[in-house]
Amino acid sequence: MQFIKLAGLCFMSILMSGVSKATEMQTEDFYLKKIQPLFEQRCVACHSCFNAPCQFNLQNYDGFIRGAQKKNVYDGTRLQSVIPSRLGIDAHSPSEWRTKGFFPVLPSNKTSEDMFLGYLKLRREKPDLPVIKPVADSQICTASGKEFQELKKTSPHLGMPYGFPPLSVSEMRTVEEWVKQGAPGPLPESERKLVALTPQIKNQVVAWERFLNGKDKAQQLVSRYIYEHMFLAHIYFPEEKDVFFR
């Protein structure tokens, strides 16, 4: 009888541990606090901007759920243009990106189809394999678990992060727990706070928009000149130096 009670307490302890982790992800923004900083520290050196390998962009959650694509948009030998694939502009949902040839890196709950964790684990399994080719010449964009299993045999050096030390045990545990919970994105409230502006900054934005959108010809010429020289820049106001605009 005492054994049954003890077993029951152990089971409840394990159950509550799982519940507490799930609750942690719901009550705090696990993605913004744990996952995105990890991506920024270990991944975005390559997986950012428009030339990310396989177009897998980890600058934000939208890039993660967009997934990857086999087409190399920076192929210097192509003679024709390609359709743009700008985040937040050319499509706005995973289903829309699928119609444009992007495939998910977490296609299902099956371990055999999990390419995202697969690449990370491959680097941990083969941490000492040297880089054979530069990133630009080594892109093999696997679109399925079957393709990834073949890559493990033929190109084990392509584990991620490519050419860098593998994720630590704690980093790997964090990512695995996130994936186990369904790889949730930022909480809606957190996203609202990210784009919220203080009244002081709002006034700055309104003033600059009014200035740049002036109607007379001289103003249009000046605005065009400013735009052509600053459209790739990240701009901040002195009042909030950690808030950037493009």
Side-chain angles (χ1 to χ4, degrees):
M1 190 65 181
Q2 188 66 27
F3 172 77
I4 295 175
K5 287 182 179 179
L6 182 60
L9 287 172
C10 290
F11 174 76
M12 286 301 294
S13 176
I14 294 171
L15 182 62
M16 290 306 295
S17 174
V19 170
S20 64
K21 287 187 176 181
T23 303
E24 178 188 6
M25 289 196 175
Q26 293 170 1
T27 56
E28 73 163 351
D29 204 315
F30 194 85
Y31 177 84
L32 288 180
K33 289 189 176 182
K34 303 287 187 179
I35 302 301
Q36 189 59 48
L38 193 153
F39 286 166
E40 291 170 358
Q41 292 168 10
R42 303 303 315 273
C43 307
V44 299
C46 294
H47 289 278
S48 59
C49 201
F50 297 121
N51 61 340
C54 304
Q55 294 193 62
F56 186 41
N57 191 323
L58 291 175
Q59 287 189 101
N60 54 39
Y61 187 68
D62 288 342
F64 177 82
I65 61 174
R66 179 179 72 170
Q69 190 187 61
K70 288 180 177 288
K71 186 179 295 181
N72 181 10
V73 295
Y74 280 83
D75 180 4
T77 63
R78 63 179 174 82
L79 301 177
Q80 296 180 332
S81 62
V82 295
I83 298 174
S85 55
R86 296 162 294 183
L87 283 169
I89 298 175
D90 298 308
H92 298 88
S93 68
S95 59
E96 290 180 7
W97 287 118
R98 301 298 168 256
T99 64
K100 293 179 178 292
F102 283 82
F103 48 83
V105 295
L106 286 172
S108 72
N109 294 326
K110 296 180 180 178
T111 305
S112 60
E113 296 179 357
D114 180 354
M115 294 179 288
F116 178 66
L117 283 178
Y119 276 101
L120 299 178
K121 290 177 179 178
L122 181 59
R123 188 65 181 162
R124 285 192 58 79
E125 294 168 3
K126 312 282 186 179
D128 299 321
L129 290 181
V131 172
I132 298 176
K133 298 179 181 178
V135 173
D137 300 328
S138 60
Q139 290 195 54
I140 302 177
C141 307
T142 56
S144 66
K146 183 178 180 180
E147 290 184 5
F148 174 71
Q149 294 303 320
E150 185 62 30
L151 175 136
K152 288 180 66 175
K153 299 175 184 177
T154 60
S155 306
H157 63 284
L158 290 179
M160 296 295 157
Y162 180 60
F164 288 94
L167 266 61
S168 67
V169 173
S170 61
E171 288 173 332
M172 199 69 200
R173 189 182 300 120
T174 296
V175 176
E176 287 177 333
E177 185 61 34
W178 177 61
V179 170
K180 183 180 178 181
Q181 297 296 332
L187 298 174
E189 180 61 26
S190 298
E191 289 193 308
R192 284 193 290 271
K193 288 181 179 179
L194 282 175
V195 299
L197 301 177
T198 62
Q200 194 173 20
I201 296 297
K202 281 183 180 179
N203 292 336
Q204 290 266 31
V205 171
V206 170
W208 275 100
E209 287 183 342
R210 186 181 298 120
F211 169 76
L212 293 170
N213 290 315
K215 299 299 182 182
D216 64 88
K217 297 298 182 181
Q219 182 59 59
Q220 289 181 13
L221 178 63
V222 170
S223 296
R224 180 70 185 184
Y225 181 86
I226 293 174
Y227 170 77
E228 289 182 344
H229 286 78
M230 299 185 70
F231 79 102
L232 287 179
H234 286 71
I235 304 165
Y236 71 88
F237 297 109
E239 292 82 359
E240 289 191 43
K241 294 184 178 180
D242 59 344
V243 178
F244 290 85
F245 298 83
R246 286 187 293 177

